[in-house]
Amino acid sequence: MAEEKQYDLLIVGAGPVGCVVAERAARLKGWRSLIIEKRNHIAGNCYDRYHESGVLIHQYGPHYFRTNKKELFDYLSEFTGWIPGNYIVKSSTRGELFPFPINLKTLEQFFGRTFTAEEAEAFLEEIRIKKDHIDNSEDFVLSRVGKEMYEAFYLGYTLKQWEKHPRELNKSVCGRIPIRFNRDERYVDHDYQFTPDKGFTELFTRMTDHELIDIRLETDFESIRGEITPRIATLYSGPVDAYFNYQLGKLPWRSLDFTFTEYPEEYVQPCVQINYPNDHPYTRSVEIKHVTQQKSPNTVVSYEVPVSEGDPYYPIPADANAELYQQYKVLADEENRKNKVYFTGRLARYTYINTDEAIEMALDTINEIIRDAEEG
Ligand code: UDP
């Protein structure tokens, strides 16, 4: 089809990465993009929608947007207003709900005594298990909070989430969670913690609402492979192993199953997320209304069960997987040189990143594409 040959960019995947690259290409360079997307909607795993009950839900798990970068926040502000991110999580363990991440309040409730910051530091110094090298997630947690809290808050959750022992996972996995010597109960530490006032789907819809951007939903990359040759480059944001037909073997991914339950009450949880390290098959229950601040007489809670089959959600941060990815990266780099295919995002780079980091990666990639195109 002659018309299709005129696309400057072919973009595989309409998640945050694909949307950002198409938007920047259109507005910075006047380039025309075709985005193809396997699912029947844009926004990737940030996708939110109205549940049958009328309550806005995060279809693929909670997305707590945060960043430390003002430029990134300002860029996204072109497409959305914001409301403050009310990201409060509690952990249900030993029959009680504890503030999580661990902070002074958690320590006080867990050990039944009061702590100043200095007392808490001295106390943890006594109970922590000292390690010369922090090689994995178990070492990381034991060396900070000791065995009792490791077992109460981390071990069971991690086993359920990954079907792996924390010992087999990079320290960065449990290292995502801060441990605090103050009474700050927010889930994350970042400077900007905001959620889009009309949701993520609306944000990415506005971002891609441009005459130079076409989107084809329910279109698998395989079905158009080789048929559309973009003038400048291809941006691929799908799983890197799938692109290469799994020729080096499958990269392991972790997937999730969600059950959404409606309740005829305004709220049923005290905060957006409750973690269950040691009970239930699900890892967490999420009542996203606490974050979206939607006014509604009823509510919806999602229950999240990690599974090994299904859509890829998480790369599994372990050494053997990183090695296999590095082998795929060699192929990806070659494909970049030969055919101007750029691999970007959580799935294409097999990396456990948050939405802000994926967007940053997309911004870096479009700059790289522009630079390469200008250099010929
Ligand atoms: N984690 C844990 N207990 C918890 C919450 C998290 O042990 O109550 C560990 C677990 O290994 C998890 C990791 O910390 O996979 C990162 O948690 P986070 O909430 O950042 O995960 P995400 O929201 O990306 O699924």
PDB file of all heavy atoms in Angstrom, residues 261-295:
ATOM      1  N   THR A 261     -13.272  -6.725  42.384  1.00  0.00           N
ATOM      2  CA  THR A 261     -14.504  -6.947  43.148  1.00  0.00           C
ATOM      3  C   THR A 261     -15.117  -5.605  43.534  1.00  0.00           C
ATOM      4  O   THR A 261     -14.426  -4.728  44.062  1.00  0.00           O
ATOM      5  CB  THR A 261     -14.203  -7.770  44.413  1.00  0.00           C
ATOM      6  OG1 THR A 261     -13.540  -8.975  44.015  1.00  0.00           O
ATOM      7  CG2 THR A 261     -15.486  -8.147  45.155  1.00  0.00           C
ATOM      8  N   GLU A 262     -16.420  -5.507  43.252  1.00  0.00           N
ATOM      9  CA  GLU A 262     -17.135  -4.267  43.570  1.00  0.00           C
ATOM     10  C   GLU A 262     -17.764  -4.385  44.958  1.00  0.00           C
ATOM     11  O   GLU A 262     -18.239  -5.464  45.338  1.00  0.00           O
ATOM     12  CB  GLU A 262     -18.234  -4.078  42.514  1.00  0.00           C
ATOM     13  CG  GLU A 262     -19.013  -2.816  42.690  1.00  0.00           C
ATOM     14  CD  GLU A 262     -20.216  -2.744  41.739  1.00  0.00           C
ATOM     15  OE1 GLU A 262     -20.271  -3.499  40.740  1.00  0.00           O
ATOM     16  OE2 GLU A 262     -21.101  -1.915  42.023  1.00  0.00           O
ATOM     17  N   TYR A 263     -17.763  -3.309  45.722  1.00  0.00           N
ATOM     18  CA  TYR A 263     -18.414  -3.267  47.035  1.00  0.00           C
ATOM     19  C   TYR A 263     -19.361  -2.063  47.090  1.00  0.00           C
ATOM     20  O   TYR A 263     -19.011  -0.992  46.575  1.00  0.00           O
ATOM     21  CB  TYR A 263     -17.374  -3.125  48.154  1.00  0.00           C
ATOM     22  CG  TYR A 263     -16.426  -4.305  48.255  1.00  0.00           C
ATOM     23  CD1 TYR A 263     -15.221  -4.312  47.558  1.00  0.00           C
ATOM     24  CD2 TYR A 263     -16.743  -5.417  49.041  1.00  0.00           C
ATOM     25  CE1 TYR A 263     -14.346  -5.390  47.635  1.00  0.00           C
ATOM     26  CE2 TYR A 263     -15.871  -6.492  49.126  1.00  0.00           C
ATOM     27  CZ  TYR A 263     -14.677  -6.480  48.416  1.00  0.00           C
ATOM     28  OH  TYR A 263     -13.823  -7.550  48.491  1.00  0.00           O
ATOM     29  N   PRO A 264     -20.529  -2.232  47.735  1.00  0.00           N
ATOM     30  CA  PRO A 264     -21.492  -1.127  47.786  1.00  0.00           C
ATOM     31  C   PRO A 264     -21.191  -0.143  48.910  1.00  0.00           C
ATOM     32  O   PRO A 264     -22.071   0.253  49.667  1.00  0.00           O
ATOM     33  CB  PRO A 264     -22.819  -1.856  48.031  1.00  0.00           C
ATOM     34  CG  PRO A 264     -22.435  -3.064  48.809  1.00  0.00           C
ATOM     35  CD  PRO A 264     -21.045  -3.452  48.378  1.00  0.00           C
ATOM     36  N   GLU A 265     -19.928   0.231  49.032  1.00  0.00           N
ATOM     37  CA  GLU A 265     -19.518   1.165  50.082  1.00  0.00           C
ATOM     38  C   GLU A 265     -18.587   2.197  49.465  1.00  0.00           C
ATOM     39  O   GLU A 265     -17.966   1.924  48.433  1.00  0.00           O
ATOM     40  CB  GLU A 265     -18.745   0.414  51.174  1.00  0.00           C
ATOM     41  CG  GLU A 265     -19.633  -0.390  52.105  1.00  0.00           C
ATOM     42  CD  GLU A 265     -18.833  -1.484  52.796  1.00  0.00           C
ATOM     43  OE1 GLU A 265     -18.003  -1.135  53.646  1.00  0.00           O
ATOM     44  OE2 GLU A 265     -19.017  -2.667  52.441  1.00  0.00           O
ATOM     45  N   GLU A 266     -18.435   3.323  50.129  1.00  0.00           N
ATOM     46  CA  GLU A 266     -17.582   4.356  49.534  1.00  0.00           C
ATOM     47  C   GLU A 266     -16.114   3.891  49.510  1.00  0.00           C
ATOM     48  O   GLU A 266     -15.415   4.037  48.518  1.00  0.00           O
ATOM     49  CB  GLU A 266     -17.742   5.669  50.288  1.00  0.00           C
ATOM     50  CG  GLU A 266     -17.302   6.835  49.429  1.00  0.00           C
ATOM     51  CD  GLU A 266     -17.494   8.176  50.099  1.00  0.00           C
ATOM     52  OE1 GLU A 266     -18.042   8.218  51.230  1.00  0.00           O
ATOM     53  OE2 GLU A 266     -17.085   9.175  49.498  1.00  0.00           O
ATOM     54  N   TYR A 267     -15.666   3.354  50.637  1.00  0.00           N
ATOM     55  CA  TYR A 267     -14.311   2.784  50.732  1.00  0.00           C
ATOM     56  C   TYR A 267     -14.358   1.518  51.577  1.00  0.00           C
ATOM     57  O   TYR A 267     -15.123   1.457  52.530  1.00  0.00           O
ATOM     58  CB  TYR A 267     -13.349   3.773  51.418  1.00  0.00           C
ATOM     59  CG  TYR A 267     -12.981   4.954  50.555  1.00  0.00           C
ATOM     60  CD1 TYR A 267     -13.604   6.189  50.735  1.00  0.00           C
ATOM     61  CD2 TYR A 267     -12.015   4.834  49.566  1.00  0.00           C
ATOM     62  CE1 TYR A 267     -13.271   7.275  49.928  1.00  0.00           C
ATOM     63  CE2 TYR A 267     -11.671   5.921  48.762  1.00  0.00           C
ATOM     64  CZ  TYR A 267     -12.303   7.131  48.947  1.00  0.00           C
ATOM     65  OH  TYR A 267     -11.969   8.193  48.149  1.00  0.00           O
ATOM     66  N   VAL A 268     -13.520   0.529  51.271  1.00  0.00           N
ATOM     67  CA  VAL A 268     -13.444  -0.645  52.145  1.00  0.00           C
ATOM     68  C   VAL A 268     -12.057  -0.821  52.777  1.00  0.00           C
ATOM     69  O   VAL A 268     -11.903  -1.589  53.716  1.00  0.00           O
ATOM     70  CB  VAL A 268     -13.859  -1.966  51.434  1.00  0.00           C
ATOM     71  CG1 VAL A 268     -15.332  -1.959  51.095  1.00  0.00           C
ATOM     72  CG2 VAL A 268     -13.012  -2.240  50.198  1.00  0.00           C
ATOM     73  N   GLN A 269     -11.058  -0.136  52.234  1.00  0.00           N
ATOM     74  CA  GLN A 269      -9.707  -0.230  52.805  1.00  0.00           C
ATOM     75  C   GLN A 269      -9.333   1.121  53.435  1.00  0.00           C
ATOM     76  O   GLN A 269      -9.823   2.155  52.985  1.00  0.00           O
ATOM     77  CB  GLN A 269      -8.680  -0.556  51.711  1.00  0.00           C
ATOM     78  CG  GLN A 269      -8.860  -1.922  51.099  1.00  0.00           C
ATOM     79  CD  GLN A 269      -7.683  -2.375  50.220  1.00  0.00           C
ATOM     80  OE1 GLN A 269      -7.647  -3.523  49.829  1.00  0.00           O
ATOM     81  NE2 GLN A 269      -6.720  -1.499  49.918  1.00  0.00           N
ATOM     82  N   PRO A 270      -8.400   1.113  54.394  1.00  0.00           N
ATOM     83  CA  PRO A 270      -7.971   2.380  54.980  1.00  0.00           C
ATOM     84  C   PRO A 270      -7.004   3.155  54.080  1.00  0.00           C
ATOM     85  O   PRO A 270      -6.722   4.324  54.336  1.00  0.00           O
ATOM     86  CB  PRO A 270      -7.266   1.951  56.273  1.00  0.00           C
ATOM     87  CG  PRO A 270      -6.806   0.557  56.009  1.00  0.00           C
ATOM     88  CD  PRO A 270      -7.816  -0.055  55.069  1.00  0.00           C
ATOM     89  N   CYS A 271      -6.467   2.511  53.056  1.00  0.00           N
ATOM     90  CA  CYS A 271      -5.488   3.155  52.174  1.00  0.00           C
ATOM     91  C   CYS A 271      -5.500   2.415  50.836  1.00  0.00           C
ATOM     92  O   CYS A 271      -6.146   1.372  50.704  1.00  0.00           O
ATOM     93  CB  CYS A 271      -4.084   3.088  52.800  1.00  0.00           C
ATOM     94  SG  CYS A 271      -3.578   1.413  53.179  1.00  0.00           S
ATOM     95  N   VAL A 272      -4.758   2.936  49.881  1.00  0.00           N
ATOM     96  CA  VAL A 272      -4.864   2.374  48.529  1.00  0.00           C
ATOM     97  C   VAL A 272      -4.419   0.914  48.432  1.00  0.00           C
ATOM     98  O   VAL A 272      -5.023   0.125  47.706  1.00  0.00           O
ATOM     99  CB  VAL A 272      -4.109   3.251  47.488  1.00  0.00           C
ATOM    100  CG1 VAL A 272      -2.614   3.307  47.745  1.00  0.00           C
ATOM    101  CG2 VAL A 272      -4.349   2.742  46.085  1.00  0.00           C
ATOM    102  N   GLN A 273      -3.389   0.555  49.172  1.00  0.00           N
ATOM    103  CA  GLN A 273      -2.833  -0.794  48.956  1.00  0.00           C
ATOM    104  C   GLN A 273      -2.553  -1.500  50.270  1.00  0.00           C
ATOM    105  O   GLN A 273      -2.008  -0.910  51.201  1.00  0.00           O
ATOM    106  CB  GLN A 273      -1.539  -0.658  48.148  1.00  0.00           C
ATOM    107  CG  GLN A 273      -0.852  -1.975  47.827  1.00  0.00           C
ATOM    108  CD  GLN A 273       0.355  -1.779  46.925  1.00  0.00           C
ATOM    109  OE1 GLN A 273       0.321  -1.007  45.978  1.00  0.00           O
ATOM    110  NE2 GLN A 273       1.435  -2.486  47.211  1.00  0.00           N
ATOM    111  N   ILE A 274      -2.952  -2.772  50.315  1.00  0.00           N
ATOM    112  CA  ILE A 274      -2.585  -3.621  51.457  1.00  0.00           C
ATOM    113  C   ILE A 274      -1.796  -4.811  50.915  1.00  0.00           C
ATOM    114  O   ILE A 274      -2.231  -5.473  49.956  1.00  0.00           O
ATOM    115  CB  ILE A 274      -3.825  -4.090  52.240  1.00  0.00           C
ATOM    116  CG1 ILE A 274      -4.570  -2.858  52.786  1.00  0.00           C
ATOM    117  CG2 ILE A 274      -3.430  -5.027  53.389  1.00  0.00           C
ATOM    118  CD1 ILE A 274      -5.834  -3.162  53.541  1.00  0.00           C
ATOM    119  N   ASN A 275      -0.623  -5.022  51.483  1.00  0.00           N
ATOM    120  CA  ASN A 275       0.221  -6.155  51.077  1.00  0.00           C
ATOM    121  C   ASN A 275      -0.012  -7.325  52.022  1.00  0.00           C
ATOM    122  O   ASN A 275      -0.213  -7.124  53.227  1.00  0.00           O
ATOM    123  CB  ASN A 275       1.699  -5.757  51.131  1.00  0.00           C
ATOM    124  CG  ASN A 275       2.045  -4.717  50.083  1.00  0.00           C
ATOM    125  OD1 ASN A 275       1.235  -4.403  49.214  1.00  0.00           O
ATOM    126  ND2 ASN A 275       3.247  -4.168  50.167  1.00  0.00           N
ATOM    127  N   TYR A 276       0.043  -8.536  51.469  1.00  0.00           N
ATOM    128  CA  TYR A 276      -0.180  -9.743  52.269  1.00  0.00           C
ATOM    129  C   TYR A 276       1.017 -10.670  52.126  1.00  0.00           C
ATOM    130  O   TYR A 276       1.000 -11.597  51.319  1.00  0.00           O
ATOM    131  CB  TYR A 276      -1.452 -10.457  51.798  1.00  0.00           C
ATOM    132  CG  TYR A 276      -2.668  -9.565  51.825  1.00  0.00           C
ATOM    133  CD1 TYR A 276      -3.041  -8.841  50.699  1.00  0.00           C
ATOM    134  CD2 TYR A 276      -3.433  -9.428  52.974  1.00  0.00           C
ATOM    135  CE1 TYR A 276      -4.141  -7.988  50.719  1.00  0.00           C
ATOM    136  CE2 TYR A 276      -4.537  -8.579  53.009  1.00  0.00           C
ATOM    137  CZ  TYR A 276      -4.874  -7.865  51.874  1.00  0.00           C
ATOM    138  OH  TYR A 276      -5.952  -7.028  51.905  1.00  0.00           O
ATOM    139  N   PRO A 277       2.067 -10.426  52.896  1.00  0.00           N
ATOM    140  CA  PRO A 277       3.272 -11.258  52.739  1.00  0.00           C
ATOM    141  C   PRO A 277       2.994 -12.729  53.057  1.00  0.00           C
ATOM    142  O   PRO A 277       3.559 -13.600  52.406  1.00  0.00           O
ATOM    143  CB  PRO A 277       4.267 -10.674  53.741  1.00  0.00           C
ATOM    144  CG  PRO A 277       3.671  -9.425  54.270  1.00  0.00           C
ATOM    145  CD  PRO A 277       2.230  -9.380  53.903  1.00  0.00           C
ATOM    146  N   ASN A 278       2.137 -12.968  54.028  1.00  0.00           N
ATOM    147  CA  ASN A 278       2.051 -14.352  54.530  1.00  0.00           C
ATOM    148  C   ASN A 278       0.676 -15.011  54.439  1.00  0.00           C
ATOM    149  O   ASN A 278       0.551 -16.172  54.808  1.00  0.00           O
ATOM    150  CB  ASN A 278       2.546 -14.381  55.979  1.00  0.00           C
ATOM    151  CG  ASN A 278       3.935 -13.786  56.089  1.00  0.00           C
ATOM    152  OD1 ASN A 278       4.823 -14.157  55.316  1.00  0.00           O
ATOM    153  ND2 ASN A 278       4.118 -12.833  56.972  1.00  0.00           N
ATOM    154  N   ASP A 279      -0.321 -14.301  53.960  1.00  0.00           N
ATOM    155  CA  ASP A 279      -1.663 -14.895  53.818  1.00  0.00           C
ATOM    156  C   ASP A 279      -2.147 -14.710  52.392  1.00  0.00           C
ATOM    157  O   ASP A 279      -1.710 -13.790  51.716  1.00  0.00           O
ATOM    158  CB  ASP A 279      -2.681 -14.192  54.728  1.00  0.00           C
ATOM    159  CG  ASP A 279      -2.184 -14.095  56.152  1.00  0.00           C
ATOM    160  OD1 ASP A 279      -1.858 -15.137  56.719  1.00  0.00           O
ATOM    161  OD2 ASP A 279      -2.099 -12.961  56.664  1.00  0.00           O
ATOM    162  N   HIS A 280      -3.081 -15.579  51.998  1.00  0.00           N
ATOM    163  CA  HIS A 280      -3.766 -15.468  50.695  1.00  0.00           C
ATOM    164  C   HIS A 280      -2.835 -15.780  49.515  1.00  0.00           C
ATOM    165  O   HIS A 280      -1.624 -15.602  49.605  1.00  0.00           O
ATOM    166  CB  HIS A 280      -4.334 -14.056  50.460  1.00  0.00           C
ATOM    167  CG  HIS A 280      -5.197 -13.555  51.574  1.00  0.00           C
ATOM    168  ND1 HIS A 280      -6.358 -14.188  51.942  1.00  0.00           N
ATOM    169  CD2 HIS A 280      -5.057 -12.480  52.392  1.00  0.00           C
ATOM    170  CE1 HIS A 280      -6.900 -13.518  52.946  1.00  0.00           C
ATOM    171  NE2 HIS A 280      -6.127 -12.496  53.249  1.00  0.00           N
ATOM    172  N   PRO A 281      -3.434 -16.202  48.398  1.00  0.00           N
ATOM    173  CA  PRO A 281      -2.620 -16.397  47.186  1.00  0.00           C
ATOM    174  C   PRO A 281      -2.238 -15.050  46.559  1.00  0.00           C
ATOM    175  O   PRO A 281      -1.283 -14.973  45.795  1.00  0.00           O
ATOM    176  CB  PRO A 281      -3.548 -17.161  46.229  1.00  0.00           C
ATOM    177  CG  PRO A 281      -4.787 -17.455  46.988  1.00  0.00           C
ATOM    178  CD  PRO A 281      -4.825 -16.627  48.230  1.00  0.00           C
ATOM    179  N   TYR A 282      -2.998 -13.991  46.830  1.00  0.00           N
ATOM    180  CA  TYR A 282      -2.667 -12.694  46.222  1.00  0.00           C
ATOM    181  C   TYR A 282      -1.618 -11.964  47.047  1.00  0.00           C
ATOM    182  O   TYR A 282      -1.518 -12.151  48.257  1.00  0.00           O
ATOM    183  CB  TYR A 282      -3.909 -11.821  46.009  1.00  0.00           C
ATOM    184  CG  TYR A 282      -4.920 -11.801  47.123  1.00  0.00           C
ATOM    185  CD1 TYR A 282      -4.815 -10.885  48.171  1.00  0.00           C
ATOM    186  CD2 TYR A 282      -5.994 -12.684  47.126  1.00  0.00           C
ATOM    187  CE1 TYR A 282      -5.771 -10.859  49.185  1.00  0.00           C
ATOM    188  CE2 TYR A 282      -6.945 -12.661  48.143  1.00  0.00           C
ATOM    189  CZ  TYR A 282      -6.824 -11.750  49.175  1.00  0.00           C
ATOM    190  OH  TYR A 282      -7.747 -11.730  50.181  1.00  0.00           O
ATOM    191  N   THR A 283      -0.840 -11.127  46.366  1.00  0.00           N
ATOM    192  CA  THR A 283       0.192 -10.356  47.061  1.00  0.00           C
ATOM    193  C   THR A 283      -0.377  -9.085  47.658  1.00  0.00           C
ATOM    194  O   THR A 283       0.074  -8.631  48.703  1.00  0.00           O
ATOM    195  CB  THR A 283       1.319  -9.921  46.097  1.00  0.00           C
ATOM    196  OG1 THR A 283       0.713  -9.401  44.908  1.00  0.00           O
ATOM    197  CG2 THR A 283       2.264 -11.044  45.779  1.00  0.00           C
ATOM    198  N   ARG A 284      -1.335  -8.469  46.910  1.00  0.00           N
ATOM    199  CA  ARG A 284      -1.837  -7.183  47.407  1.00  0.00           C
ATOM    200  C   ARG A 284      -3.262  -6.938  46.941  1.00  0.00           C
ATOM    201  O   ARG A 284      -3.704  -7.481  45.927  1.00  0.00           O
ATOM    202  CB  ARG A 284      -0.921  -6.043  46.955  1.00  0.00           C
ATOM    203  CG  ARG A 284      -0.671  -5.976  45.463  1.00  0.00           C
ATOM    204  CD  ARG A 284       0.451  -4.971  45.176  1.00  0.00           C
ATOM    205  NE  ARG A 284       0.772  -4.896  43.753  1.00  0.00           N
ATOM    206  CZ  ARG A 284       1.780  -4.198  43.242  1.00  0.00           C
ATOM    207  NH1 ARG A 284       2.585  -3.524  44.022  1.00  0.00           N
ATOM    208  NH2 ARG A 284       2.003  -4.164  41.947  1.00  0.00           N
ATOM    209  N   SER A 285      -3.968  -6.120  47.718  1.00  0.00           N
ATOM    210  CA  SER A 285      -5.292  -5.666  47.310  1.00  0.00           C
ATOM    211  C   SER A 285      -5.192  -4.159  47.134  1.00  0.00           C
ATOM    212  O   SER A 285      -4.554  -3.473  47.945  1.00  0.00           O
ATOM    213  CB  SER A 285      -6.348  -6.047  48.346  1.00  0.00           C
ATOM    214  OG  SER A 285      -6.047  -5.469  49.598  1.00  0.00           O
ATOM    215  N   VAL A 286      -5.794  -3.672  46.048  1.00  0.00           N
ATOM    216  CA  VAL A 286      -5.621  -2.261  45.692  1.00  0.00           C
ATOM    217  C   VAL A 286      -6.984  -1.602  45.481  1.00  0.00           C
ATOM    218  O   VAL A 286      -7.768  -2.048  44.645  1.00  0.00           O
ATOM    219  CB  VAL A 286      -4.769  -2.147  44.401  1.00  0.00           C
ATOM    220  CG1 VAL A 286      -4.709  -0.692  43.935  1.00  0.00           C
ATOM    221  CG2 VAL A 286      -3.363  -2.682  44.642  1.00  0.00           C
ATOM    222  N   GLU A 287      -7.241  -0.577  46.259  1.00  0.00           N
ATOM    223  CA  GLU A 287      -8.471   0.217  46.086  1.00  0.00           C
ATOM    224  C   GLU A 287      -8.018   1.571  45.523  1.00  0.00           C
ATOM    225  O   GLU A 287      -7.734   2.521  46.272  1.00  0.00           O
ATOM    226  CB  GLU A 287      -9.163   0.389  47.444  1.00  0.00           C
ATOM    227  CG  GLU A 287     -10.508   1.054  47.349  1.00  0.00           C
ATOM    228  CD  GLU A 287     -11.230   1.104  48.703  1.00  0.00           C
ATOM    229  OE1 GLU A 287     -10.566   1.157  49.761  1.00  0.00           O
ATOM    230  OE2 GLU A 287     -12.475   1.086  48.695  1.00  0.00           O
ATOM    231  N   ILE A 288      -7.945   1.631  44.197  1.00  0.00           N
ATOM    232  CA  ILE A 288      -7.262   2.758  43.545  1.00  0.00           C
ATOM    233  C   ILE A 288      -8.003   4.082  43.736  1.00  0.00           C
ATOM    234  O   ILE A 288      -7.429   5.156  43.536  1.00  0.00           O
ATOM    235  CB  ILE A 288      -6.994   2.432  42.039  1.00  0.00           C
ATOM    236  CG1 ILE A 288      -5.817   3.248  41.490  1.00  0.00           C
ATOM    237  CG2 ILE A 288      -8.226   2.629  41.192  1.00  0.00           C
ATOM    238  CD1 ILE A 288      -4.469   2.902  42.035  1.00  0.00           C
ATOM    239  N   LYS A 289      -9.257   3.998  44.154  1.00  0.00           N
ATOM    240  CA  LYS A 289     -10.037   5.222  44.433  1.00  0.00           C
ATOM    241  C   LYS A 289      -9.338   6.149  45.421  1.00  0.00           C
ATOM    242  O   LYS A 289      -9.510   7.368  45.360  1.00  0.00           O
ATOM    243  CB  LYS A 289     -11.384   4.805  45.026  1.00  0.00           C
ATOM    244  CG  LYS A 289     -12.573   5.277  44.235  1.00  0.00           C
ATOM    245  CD  LYS A 289     -13.854   4.789  44.873  1.00  0.00           C
ATOM    246  CE  LYS A 289     -14.512   5.887  45.659  1.00  0.00           C
ATOM    247  NZ  LYS A 289     -15.758   5.407  46.308  1.00  0.00           N
ATOM    248  N   HIS A 290      -8.552   5.579  46.328  1.00  0.00           N
ATOM    249  CA  HIS A 290      -7.806   6.423  47.275  1.00  0.00           C
ATOM    250  C   HIS A 290      -6.844   7.349  46.530  1.00  0.00           C
ATOM    251  O   HIS A 290      -6.484   8.402  47.026  1.00  0.00           O
ATOM    252  CB  HIS A 290      -6.989   5.561  48.244  1.00  0.00           C
ATOM    253  CG  HIS A 290      -7.817   4.878  49.276  1.00  0.00           C
ATOM    254  ND1 HIS A 290      -8.175   5.462  50.466  1.00  0.00           N
ATOM    255  CD2 HIS A 290      -8.383   3.641  49.294  1.00  0.00           C
ATOM    256  CE1 HIS A 290      -8.903   4.622  51.184  1.00  0.00           C
ATOM    257  NE2 HIS A 290      -9.041   3.510  50.492  1.00  0.00           N
ATOM    258  N   VAL A 291      -6.400   6.895  45.357  1.00  0.00           N
ATOM    259  CA  VAL A 291      -5.459   7.693  44.572  1.00  0.00           C
ATOM    260  C   VAL A 291      -6.190   8.566  43.549  1.00  0.00           C
ATOM    261  O   VAL A 291      -5.903   9.750  43.404  1.00  0.00           O
ATOM    262  CB  VAL A 291      -4.432   6.773  43.874  1.00  0.00           C
ATOM    263  CG1 VAL A 291      -3.631   7.525  42.828  1.00  0.00           C
ATOM    264  CG2 VAL A 291      -3.499   6.163  44.911  1.00  0.00           C
ATOM    265  N   THR A 292      -7.164   7.997  42.865  1.00  0.00           N
ATOM    266  CA  THR A 292      -7.870   8.781  41.837  1.00  0.00           C
ATOM    267  C   THR A 292      -8.782   9.825  42.473  1.00  0.00           C
ATOM    268  O   THR A 292      -9.175  10.781  41.806  1.00  0.00           O
ATOM    269  CB  THR A 292      -8.735   7.869  40.935  1.00  0.00           C
ATOM    270  OG1 THR A 292      -9.723   7.237  41.751  1.00  0.00           O
ATOM    271  CG2 THR A 292      -7.897   6.797  40.258  1.00  0.00           C
ATOM    272  N   GLN A 293      -9.133   9.619  43.728  1.00  0.00           N
ATOM    273  CA  GLN A 293      -9.979  10.565  44.488  1.00  0.00           C
ATOM    274  C   GLN A 293     -11.376  10.685  43.869  1.00  0.00           C
ATOM    275  O   GLN A 293     -12.064  11.685  44.086  1.00  0.00           O
ATOM    276  CB  GLN A 293      -9.341  11.961  44.551  1.00  0.00           C
ATOM    277  CG  GLN A 293      -7.918  11.981  45.073  1.00  0.00           C
ATOM    278  CD  GLN A 293      -7.842  12.057  46.588  1.00  0.00           C
ATOM    279  OE1 GLN A 293      -8.593  12.757  47.224  1.00  0.00           O
ATOM    280  NE2 GLN A 293      -6.941  11.292  47.190  1.00  0.00           N
ATOM    281  N   GLN A 294     -11.768   9.663  43.106  1.00  0.00           N
ATOM    282  CA  GLN A 294     -13.090   9.702  42.492  1.00  0.00           C
ATOM    283  C   GLN A 294     -14.183   9.686  43.562  1.00  0.00           C
ATOM    284  O   GLN A 294     -14.070   8.954  44.550  1.00  0.00           O
ATOM    285  CB  GLN A 294     -13.236   8.482  41.574  1.00  0.00           C
ATOM    286  CG  GLN A 294     -14.459   8.518  40.700  1.00  0.00           C
ATOM    287  CD  GLN A 294     -14.640   7.204  39.937  1.00  0.00           C
ATOM    288  OE1 GLN A 294     -13.855   6.252  40.081  1.00  0.00           O
ATOM    289  NE2 GLN A 294     -15.691   7.155  39.144  1.00  0.00           N
ATOM    290  N   LYS A 295     -15.205  10.486  43.366  1.00  0.00           N
ATOM    291  CA  LYS A 295     -16.350  10.461  44.298  1.00  0.00           C
ATOM    292  C   LYS A 295     -17.348   9.444  43.764  1.00  0.00           C
ATOM    293  O   LYS A 295     -17.782   9.537  42.620  1.00  0.00           O
ATOM    294  CB  LYS A 295     -17.021  11.842  44.363  1.00  0.00           C
ATOM    295  CG  LYS A 295     -16.090  12.936  44.857  1.00  0.00           C
ATOM    296  CD  LYS A 295     -15.993  12.939  46.385  1.00  0.00           C
ATOM    297  CE  LYS A 295     -14.892  13.848  46.875  1.00  0.00           C
ATOM    298  NZ  LYS A 295     -13.580  13.197  47.037  1.00  0.00           N
TER     299      LYS A 295
END
